[in-house]
Amino acid sequence: VTFTYAAAISATPGSSSVNYNGTSSGVAPKSGTFSLTVNAISSFNFSLSQTSNPVAVTQGSSATNTITATLVSGTTQAVTFSASGLPAGATVSFSPTNCNPTCSTIINLTTIASTPIGTYTIFVNGTGGGLTKTTSFTFNVNAIQCTIPADTSCNGCVSQTELDAYIQQFYN
């Protein structure tokens, strides 16, 4: 004997005993009891975490961090990522820009030579299924460390023209 039961979305969660009696032409009557359990609907929920804290970068370069969206309950849904707290001149991108938990994205933080040196808190938001979750990490922007090549023709001295050309490469 096979029973098919579809619970309405409004069905109250819990267990019940179900008695059945069945008859069919040419077959002895059958009866019995079975237990039916209706489980509560688990709504979508997720959490966010990051793997590197702090993340350090030198002015004019980039760094990455991994952001993980973990499914906590329900059926997975797309989560889209965004970030805030960036210093002036810094940009951010995500790869991929969205994913279905449990999943990870790589956040790429790029600075320019004039990005202010300092320590910043980067907030990463994941939005999906009507929820927004946040994780954060420390982002350290360090000064450019310049090593100016010496011109051997003048025994280690560097001309103003050479110095200007070397410095200019960081601002273009």
Side-chain angles (χ1 to χ4, degrees):
V1 176
T2 301
F3 293 98
T4 302
Y5 181 80
I9 195 146
S10 60
T12 303
S15 294
S16 297
S17 292
V18 177
N19 297 317
Y20 64 90
N21 293 307
T23 59
S24 179
S25 172
V27 178
K30 299 285 183 185
S31 64
T33 303
F34 65 91
S35 178
L36 175 68
T37 302
V38 175
N39 295 318
I41 296 173
S42 180
S43 61
F44 173 66
N45 195 6
F46 68 98
S47 63
L48 278 187
S49 61
Q50 48 75 32
T51 58
S52 300
N53 193 14
V55 172
V57 67
T58 301
Q59 290 170 306
S61 63
S62 62
T64 63
N65 198 352
T66 301
I67 307 298
T68 300
T70 303
L71 183 64
V72 173
S73 64
T75 302
T76 190
Q77 297 183 34
V79 171
T80 301
F81 302 98
S82 62
S84 61
L86 298 168
T91 59
V92 65
S93 63
F94 292 91
S95 181
T97 56
N98 62 57
C99 63
N100 291 356
T102 294
C103 59
S104 293
T105 186
I106 303 297
I107 180 174
N108 186 50
L109 302 129
T110 303
T111 63
I112 59 177
S114 61
T115 298
I117 298 164
T119 299
Y120 304 89
T121 301
I122 305 300
F123 295 94
V124 177
N125 293 324
T127 303
L131 303 173
T132 297
K133 303 291 180 160
T134 303
T135 188
S136 64
F137 58 91
T138 301
F139 184 52
N140 295 323
V141 178
N142 300 314
I144 295 172
Q145 300 297 314
C146 296
T147 304
I148 300 173
D151 180 351
T152 56
S153 66
C154 67
N155 296 323
C157 66
V158 177
S159 72
Q160 185 64 47
T161 303
E162 291 171 319
L163 180 60
D164 290 344
Y166 184 78
I167 293 171
Q168 199 59 23
Q169 71 182 331
F170 293 104
Y171 291 95
N172 290 331

